[in-house]
Amino acid sequence: MIGIMLMTESTTNFWPQLIKLILVNNGLLIAVPYLIASLLTLINHATKKRLAQWHQSAQLIVGGLGVFIHESSHALACLLFGHRITEMQLINFKLRDNPDRSLGHVTHTYRTGKIWPTIGNLWIGLAPIFGCSISILGLTWLFARPTFTLWMTFAFNPSWHADQIWPLFKTLLTTTAPITFLIWLILCGMIAVGGFDLSRADFKGTIPGTIATVIIVTLITIGLQLIGQPQALTNLLLKGAIPLIVIGMMALILSTITWLLINGLLAFHYKKRH
């Protein structure tokens, strides 16, 4: 009787824990990048639209570096997941000759029915989020080493209290020389404005890969639950998600500041003209 009761209690706890882990793991792997991409896309599309109203080439001047990293990230992800690149333009300097006014593009195809290239659709679409994040991390390592060290420490030992989060950004100002900080700010701002936002085609292309990834993550989570290692995948995903969240927060701040500056400058420009 006692054995049956213990088994029933164990089974009762098994399913709620499994469902929770499936949701958490898919959230960390898919929902977090999607959310960051959606917020940055909303802000940076608005910035580019305002820049285009001023001058078509202004988009390239402000966000050209980001565009290059954006398209390069798509291309590298295509190679990683076995997609064939049919056409590629990492940055388009002749916007007037381009009917859709795209700043760059990567066109690719793949053989349907194979799991790896199908999963790749998700990561090819989201690749600029990771490519731009790595680029900002690299620039931080190069120009603001103490901040980079602090970010990495936080990634492995996160604490979401305000007094722990604020130093992640304050360190940039207190430990970086003004000219170095300015160079870092300009380069990261260009990456944030030109690189992080995803096109409608990017989001649409992720759908087959999202479905396949959800299925794979769910199966792995079930397998780990059955062998008594339920937190293994969650812990691994957290180590990747936390740096992405920190950089995403920084990119959101940079993008918002750029949007405010561009809107302010254009408002002043039009007011002066009239």
Side-chain angles (χ1 to χ4, degrees):
M1 179 68 71
I2 294 174
I4 294 173
M5 289 176 63
L6 289 172
M7 187 178 296
T8 303
E9 184 179 350
S10 176
T11 304
T12 302
N13 293 332
F14 178 88
W15 290 108
Q17 184 184 32
L18 178 61
I19 292 170
K20 180 182 177 181
L21 285 171
I22 289 171
L23 292 174
V24 169
N25 290 343
N26 279 293
L28 288 171
L29 189 62
I30 300 171
V32 168
Y34 260 124
L35 179 61
I36 292 171
S38 298
L39 291 172
L40 287 167
T41 297
L42 186 67
I43 296 170
N44 292 320
H45 273 187
T47 301
K48 287 179 180 177
K49 187 176 180 180
R50 291 291 284 165
L51 286 169
Q53 291 173 353
W54 183 27
H55 195 282
Q56 200 70 257
S57 298
Q59 299 177 75
L60 294 176
I61 295 169
V62 175
L65 176 61
V67 172
F68 181 84
I69 295 171
H70 180 113
E71 302 302 343
S72 297
S73 300
H74 281 315
L76 288 172
C78 285
L79 297 176
L80 178 63
F81 287 97
H83 286 226
R84 185 171 67 89
I85 298 174
T86 56
E87 189 177 350
M88 179 172 65
Q89 188 173 32
L90 297 181
I91 190 164
N92 176 26
F93 292 104
K94 299 179 179 179
L95 294 176
R96 293 183 180 179
D97 299 335
N98 194 345
D100 63 1
R101 296 289 192 270
S102 65
L103 301 175
H105 67 272
V106 175
T107 307
H108 55 98
T109 61
Y110 71 102
R111 291 180 63 184
T112 57
K114 290 194 173 185
I115 189 67
W116 183 248
T118 302
I119 290 174
N121 284 298
L122 171 62
W123 305 108
I124 291 168
L126 294 178
I129 302 301
F130 299 98
C132 290
S133 296
I134 292 170
S135 299
I136 288 178
L137 265 181
L139 288 171
T140 307
W141 177 85
L142 185 63
F143 292 111
R145 196 72 57 86
T147 300
F148 174 84
T149 303
L150 189 63
W151 286 4
M152 290 298 98
T153 302
F154 182 86
F156 290 101
N157 298 284
S159 175
W160 297 104
H161 297 289
D163 59 343
Q164 296 294 321
I165 294 174
W166 171 237
L168 297 174
F169 306 105
K170 186 178 73 172
T171 309
L172 272 168
L173 298 172
T174 57
T175 63
T176 311
I179 186 64
T180 306
F181 173 73
L182 183 61
I183 294 170
W184 178 91
L185 186 66
I186 291 171
L187 293 175
C188 289
M190 291 176 71
I191 292 172
V193 172
F196 273 105
D197 62 317
L198 303 182
S199 66
R200 188 174 298 177
D202 290 337
F203 280 114
K204 186 178 179 180
T206 64
I207 295 172
T210 301
I211 296 169
T213 302
V214 167
I215 293 171
I216 296 297
V217 170
T218 300
L219 291 174
I220 292 173
T221 304
I222 293 171
L224 290 170
Q225 178 85 344
L226 290 172
I227 64 173
Q229 298 292 330
Q231 297 291 335
L233 182 59
T234 306
N235 292 336
L236 180 64
L237 292 174
L238 276 170
K239 289 179 181 179
I242 291 170
L244 183 64
I245 291 169
V246 172
I247 295 170
M249 290 165 59
M250 179 61 71
L252 282 168
I253 293 170
L254 290 171
S255 297
T256 302
I257 291 172
T258 305
W259 178 81
L260 290 170
L261 285 172
I262 296 299
N263 275 276
L265 288 171
L266 288 178
F268 177 77
H269 174 71
Y270 289 130
K271 184 177 179 180
K272 190 175 180 181
R273 285 180 59 183
H274 298 288

